């Protein structure tokens, strides 16, 4: 059995490039947002008051820091030997109880430094030890991590949305095209009378001259019977005997769609592809398994699901009615719940031929099958 892919393969390199582009875009936007940030204004000895810079950061003198330490307002203190992006000269950072931060440039006088360190240890209700660190190293780690996150986040979002995108863009079609089914009527055992009826259909498909003088190919054949009676095998045997490509699909595949309107587009795509194959190969068979999932009786539920089901079935009926006698496309469907099939499907011009396939009862049937 030769299979042909019904949808083009997904170009993963293109998706990866798209994700990387999203990551670069996030970095550019983040860089633009940070571009307006200004450096900490240097603190001079003459400046004794707290002066906020453009980012709202308060700068302090040694005496002001010690005053806050006496009141117990300072919880932690850091000495950054390399200020990173915001400041290139060493400075102190003090974490206050209210969550704010005060900054102090490292004084040039060593006595002032000693006064600050000793005062934090002795004047504060709880001794504060200054922790020394390199801010530039921390920023590099943060920037590297945020860079990876900004790249991986679009990839994760893209992977989550991929099923929806494939359905909306029509890239994921729930059917397969079989050029040669590899099955014959000799593979169907235990149902000689049903095979005789199917042989007549094959003659209609193969004998195009007879079709020209008025013989009309049945638009649809509905195979009804319990599971395991060989309905799919019979449909493949018809295609194999007629040497005609067939499209195999399932009724439930049209209903499992994430967005409204996608199912009707899939129906259009199915019939359009069948007509294209028929023009090239001289004929095509569409086989719909579990037709009851697609063609069950329409109700008046008024729900969105019921409305979508009605639209999908109406589109299916519309496309079956649109077949021209010379199209040479036939639909074969199978169901084990014929009682729930919508009556509109079995009207003339749609599923013209209904074949019931009972389970094998006689011992001769069973012997033939075995």
């Amino acid at each position: 059995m030769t299979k042909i892919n019904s949808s083009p393969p997904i170009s993963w390199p293109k998706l990866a490039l798209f994700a990387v582009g999203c990551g670069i875009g996030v970095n550019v936007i983040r860089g633009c947002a940070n571009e307006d940030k200004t450096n900490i204004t240097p603190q001079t000895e003459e400046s004794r008051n707290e002066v906020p810079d453009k980012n709202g950061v308060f700068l302090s003198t040694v005496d002001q820091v010690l005053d806050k330490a006496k009141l117990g307002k300072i919880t932690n203190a850091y000495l950054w030997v390399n200020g990173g992006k915001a400041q290139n000269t060493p400075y102190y950072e003090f974490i206050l109880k209210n969550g704010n931060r005060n900054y102090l440039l490292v004084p040039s006088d060593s006595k002032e430094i000693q006064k600050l360190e000793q005062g934090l240890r002795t004047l504060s209700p709880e001794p504060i030890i200054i922790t020394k660190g390199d801010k530039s190293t921390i920023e590099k780690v943060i920037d590297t991590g945020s860079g990876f996150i900004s790249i991986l986040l679009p990839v994760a979002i893209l992977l989550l949305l991929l099923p929806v995108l494939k359905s909306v863009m029509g890239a994921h079609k729930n059917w397969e095209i079989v050029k040669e089914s590899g099955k014959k009527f000799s593979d169907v055992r235990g149902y000689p009378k049903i095979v005789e009826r199917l042989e007549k259909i094959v003659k209609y498909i193969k004998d195009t001259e007879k079709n020209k003088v008025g013989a009309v190919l049945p638009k649809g054949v509905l195979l009804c019977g319990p599971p395991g009676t060989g309905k799919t095998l019979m449909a493949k045997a018809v295609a194999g005997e007629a040497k005609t490509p067939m499209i195999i699909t399932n009724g439930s595949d049209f209903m499992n769609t994430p967005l409204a309107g996608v199912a009707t587009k899939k129906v259009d795509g199915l019939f359009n592809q069948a007509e294209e194959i028929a023009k090239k190969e001289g004929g095509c068979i569409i086989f719909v398994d579990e037709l009851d999932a697609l063609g069950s009786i329409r109700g008046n539920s008024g729900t969105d699901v019921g409305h979508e089901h009605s639209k999908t079935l109406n589109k299916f009926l519309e496309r079956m009615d649109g077949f021209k006698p010379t199209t040479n496309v036939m639909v074969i469907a199978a169901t084990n719940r014929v009682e729930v099939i919508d009556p509109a499907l079995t009207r003339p011009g749609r599923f013209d031929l209904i074949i019931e396939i009972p389970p094998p009862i006689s011992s001769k049937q069973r012997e033939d099958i075995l």
Side-chain angles (χ1 to χ4, degrees), residues 17 61 75 110 123-124 197 241 259 262 347 362:
L17 289 174
T61 64
T75 58
S110 60
L123 299 178
S124 177
R197 299 180 69 181
E241 292 285 350
L259 298 176
V262 176
R347 290 175 184 170
S362 66

Side-chain angles (χ1 to χ4, degrees), residues 4-10 166 170-177 273:
I4 303 175
N5 292 330
S6 60
S7 59
I10 301 172
K166 289 192 295 184
H172 183 60
K173 302 171 183 174
N174 301 98
W175 62 76
E176 64 174 348
I177 303 173
Q273 194 159 19

Side-chain angles (χ1 to χ4, degrees), residues 91-258:
Y91 69 96
Y92 293 99
E93 180 180 8
F94 304 100
I95 311 299
L96 307 183
K97 281 188 176 181
N98 60 6
N100 291 335
R101 286 172 168 79
N102 285 171
Y103 299 94
L104 173 67
L105 295 178
V106 176
S108 57
D109 189 354
S110 60
K111 292 182 180 180
E112 287 290 309
I113 297 176
Q114 185 177 4
K115 175 183 175 182
L116 174 65
E117 295 178 352
Q118 185 177 0
L120 290 175
R121 288 195 302 268
T122 59
L123 299 178
S124 177
E126 296 182 3
I128 299 174
I129 306 300
I130 298 176
T131 303
K132 186 177 180 181
D134 188 345
K135 194 106 176 183
S136 62
T137 304
I138 297 176
E139 287 183 348
K140 287 178 182 178
V141 174
I142 295 174
D143 288 344
T144 303
S146 62
F148 278 115
I149 292 174
S150 63
I151 293 176
L152 292 177
L153 184 61
V155 175
I157 295 174
L158 188 63
L159 291 177
L160 290 174
L161 296 179
L162 190 59
V164 178
L165 292 174
K166 289 192 295 184
S167 296
V168 173
M169 297 172 64
H172 183 60
K173 302 171 183 174
N174 301 98
W175 62 76
E176 64 174 348
I177 303 173
V178 180
K179 190 173 183 180
E180 297 177 3
S181 69
K183 301 297 181 181
K184 303 290 183 181
F185 285 138
S186 58
D187 298 317
V188 181
R189 304 296 182 88
Y191 298 97
K193 293 184 178 180
I194 295 178
V195 170
E196 289 179 6
R197 299 180 69 181
L198 296 176
E199 285 176 345
K200 294 179 181 179
I201 297 174
V202 173
K203 289 181 180 179
Y204 277 114
I205 298 175
K206 296 174 69 175
D207 198 344
T208 55
E209 294 297 327
K210 189 174 291 186
N211 291 341
K212 289 181 180 179
V213 296
V216 179
L217 179 71
K219 287 186 177 180
V221 177
L222 182 58
L223 305 176
C224 311
T229 51
K231 299 182 291 294
T232 303
L233 175 61
M234 293 180 186
K236 291 182 178 180
V238 171
E241 292 285 350
K243 298 180 180 180
T244 302
M246 68 183 304
I247 300 177
I248 301 176
T249 186
N250 193 295
S252 61
D253 291 335
F254 292 93
M255 308 313 299
N256 297 331
T257 53

Side-chain angles (χ1 to χ4, degrees), residues 28-84:
V28 170
I29 294 173
R30 186 180 61 181
C32 293
N34 294 332
E35 187 178 358
D36 190 46
K37 292 184 178 179
T38 58
N39 294 338
I40 297 175
T41 305
Q43 181 74 8
T44 62
E45 293 295 332
E46 292 79 10
S47 178
R48 304 294 296 176
N49 298 322
E50 294 183 346
V51 181
D53 70 353
K54 293 183 180 180
N55 294 320
V57 178
F58 288 89
L59 306 177
S60 305
T61 64
V62 171
D63 291 336
Q64 289 171 329
V65 172
L66 295 180
D67 289 341
K68 292 183 179 182
K70 291 178 185 179
L71 298 175
K73 293 183 178 181
I74 299 177
T75 58
N76 293 289
Y78 301 93
L79 170 60
W80 301 112
V81 295
N82 190 321

Side-chain angles (χ1 to χ4, degrees), residues 273-334:
Q273 194 159 19
E275 291 176 356
E276 291 177 5
I277 293 174
K279 290 179 182 179
K280 295 178 181 178
E281 305 292 339
C284 182
I285 293 175
I286 300 175
F287 176 64
V288 182
D289 198 9
E290 297 182 7
L291 180 66
D292 48 275
L294 168 65
S296 57
I297 298 174
R298 291 164 288 185
N300 296 320
S301 63
T303 62
D304 293 337
V305 176
H307 182 61
E308 186 67 17
H309 169 260
S310 297
K311 289 199 302 182
T312 306
L313 180 54
N314 288 339
K315 175 59 69 172
F316 191 87
L317 296 171
E318 175 189 331
R319 294 308 303 259
M320 286 196 72
D321 291 337
F323 280 152
K324 297 180 181 179
T326 56
T327 304
N328 214 22
V329 175
M330 184 174 63
V331 183
I332 300 178

